[in-house]
Short mmCIF file of all heavy atoms in Angstrom, two decimals:
data_model
loop_
_atom_site.label_atom_id
_atom_site.label_comp_id
_atom_site.label_asym_id
_atom_site.label_seq_id
_atom_site.Cartn_x
_atom_site.Cartn_y
_atom_site.Cartn_z
N PHE A 237 -92.11 144.87 31.87
CA PHE A 237 -91.65 143.69 32.60
C PHE A 237 -90.19 143.41 32.24
O PHE A 237 -89.89 142.62 31.35
CB PHE A 237 -92.54 142.49 32.30
CG PHE A 237 -93.98 142.70 32.67
CD1 PHE A 237 -94.96 142.75 31.70
CD2 PHE A 237 -94.34 142.89 33.99
CE1 PHE A 237 -96.29 142.97 32.03
CE2 PHE A 237 -95.67 143.11 34.35
CZ PHE A 237 -96.64 143.16 33.36
N ARG A 238 -89.31 144.07 32.94
CA ARG A 238 -87.88 143.92 32.67
C ARG A 238 -87.33 142.59 33.18
O ARG A 238 -86.27 142.15 32.77
CB ARG A 238 -87.10 145.08 33.30
CG ARG A 238 -87.40 146.44 32.66
CD ARG A 238 -86.58 147.54 33.33
NE ARG A 238 -85.15 147.18 33.36
CZ ARG A 238 -84.40 147.24 34.46
NH1 ARG A 238 -84.94 147.62 35.61
NH2 ARG A 238 -83.13 146.92 34.40
N TYR A 239 -88.09 141.96 34.09
CA TYR A 239 -87.63 140.70 34.68
C TYR A 239 -88.78 139.69 34.63
O TYR A 239 -89.86 139.93 35.17
CB TYR A 239 -87.18 140.91 36.12
CG TYR A 239 -85.97 141.82 36.22
CD1 TYR A 239 -86.15 143.21 36.30
CD2 TYR A 239 -84.69 141.31 36.21
CE1 TYR A 239 -85.06 144.05 36.36
CE2 TYR A 239 -83.58 142.15 36.28
CZ TYR A 239 -83.77 143.52 36.35
OH TYR A 239 -82.69 144.35 36.41
N LEU A 240 -88.51 138.57 33.97
CA LEU A 240 -89.53 137.53 33.82
C LEU A 240 -89.00 136.24 34.43
O LEU A 240 -87.87 135.80 34.15
CB LEU A 240 -89.85 137.31 32.34
CG LEU A 240 -90.87 136.22 32.00
CD1 LEU A 240 -92.22 136.55 32.60
CD2 LEU A 240 -91.00 136.06 30.48
N LEU A 241 -89.81 135.63 35.29
CA LEU A 241 -89.46 134.35 35.90
C LEU A 241 -90.55 133.34 35.59
O LEU A 241 -91.75 133.68 35.60
CB LEU A 241 -89.31 134.49 37.42
CG LEU A 241 -88.24 135.47 37.90
CD1 LEU A 241 -88.86 136.84 38.17
CD2 LEU A 241 -87.57 134.96 39.17
N VAL A 242 -90.16 132.11 35.31
CA VAL A 242 -91.12 131.06 34.97
C VAL A 242 -90.85 129.84 35.85
O VAL A 242 -89.75 129.28 35.82
CB VAL A 242 -91.02 130.65 33.48
CG1 VAL A 242 -92.11 129.64 33.14
CG2 VAL A 242 -91.12 131.88 32.58
N ASP A 243 -91.84 129.46 36.63
CA ASP A 243 -91.73 128.28 37.49
C ASP A 243 -92.18 127.04 36.71
O ASP A 243 -93.00 127.14 35.80
CB ASP A 243 -92.60 128.48 38.73
CG ASP A 243 -92.34 127.44 39.80
OD1 ASP A 243 -91.29 126.75 39.73
OD2 ASP A 243 -93.17 127.31 40.72
N GLU A 244 -91.64 125.87 37.08
CA GLU A 244 -92.00 124.59 36.44
C GLU A 244 -91.90 124.71 34.92
O GLU A 244 -92.81 124.30 34.17
CB GLU A 244 -93.42 124.16 36.85
CG GLU A 244 -93.63 124.01 38.35
CD GLU A 244 -92.94 122.79 38.95
OE1 GLU A 244 -92.23 122.08 38.20
OE2 GLU A 244 -93.11 122.55 40.15
N PHE A 245 -90.78 125.22 34.45
CA PHE A 245 -90.62 125.51 33.02
C PHE A 245 -90.75 124.25 32.17
O PHE A 245 -91.16 124.32 31.01
CB PHE A 245 -89.26 126.17 32.78
CG PHE A 245 -89.01 126.59 31.36
CD1 PHE A 245 -89.82 127.53 30.75
CD2 PHE A 245 -87.98 126.03 30.62
CE1 PHE A 245 -89.60 127.93 29.43
CE2 PHE A 245 -87.74 126.41 29.30
CZ PHE A 245 -88.55 127.36 28.71
N GLN A 246 -90.41 123.09 32.72
CA GLN A 246 -90.49 121.85 31.94
C GLN A 246 -91.93 121.50 31.57
O GLN A 246 -92.16 120.66 30.71
CB GLN A 246 -89.86 120.68 32.72
CG GLN A 246 -90.71 120.11 33.85
CD GLN A 246 -90.64 120.93 35.12
OE1 GLN A 246 -89.80 121.81 35.24
NE2 GLN A 246 -91.53 120.65 36.07
N ASP A 247 -92.90 122.15 32.20
CA ASP A 247 -94.31 121.85 31.93
C ASP A 247 -94.94 122.81 30.92
O ASP A 247 -96.15 122.72 30.66
CB ASP A 247 -95.12 121.90 33.24
CG ASP A 247 -94.71 120.80 34.22
OD1 ASP A 247 -94.19 119.77 33.75
OD2 ASP A 247 -94.90 120.99 35.43
N THR A 248 -94.17 123.72 30.35
CA THR A 248 -94.73 124.66 29.38
C THR A 248 -94.97 123.99 28.03
O THR A 248 -94.26 123.06 27.65
CB THR A 248 -93.80 125.87 29.18
OG1 THR A 248 -92.49 125.40 28.83
CG2 THR A 248 -93.72 126.71 30.44
N ASN A 249 -95.96 124.48 27.30
CA ASN A 249 -96.22 123.98 25.95
C ASN A 249 -95.64 124.95 24.91
O ASN A 249 -95.04 125.97 25.24
CB ASN A 249 -97.71 123.73 25.72
CG ASN A 249 -98.56 125.00 25.87
OD1 ASN A 249 -98.09 126.11 25.62
ND2 ASN A 249 -99.81 124.82 26.25
#
Side-chain angles (χ1 to χ4, degrees):
F237 300 114
R238 293 180 52 230
Y239 296 87
L240 178 62
L241 300 94
V242 185
D243 192 16
E244 302 288 4
F245 184 62
Q246 76 280 348
D247 294 335
T248 54
N249 61 29

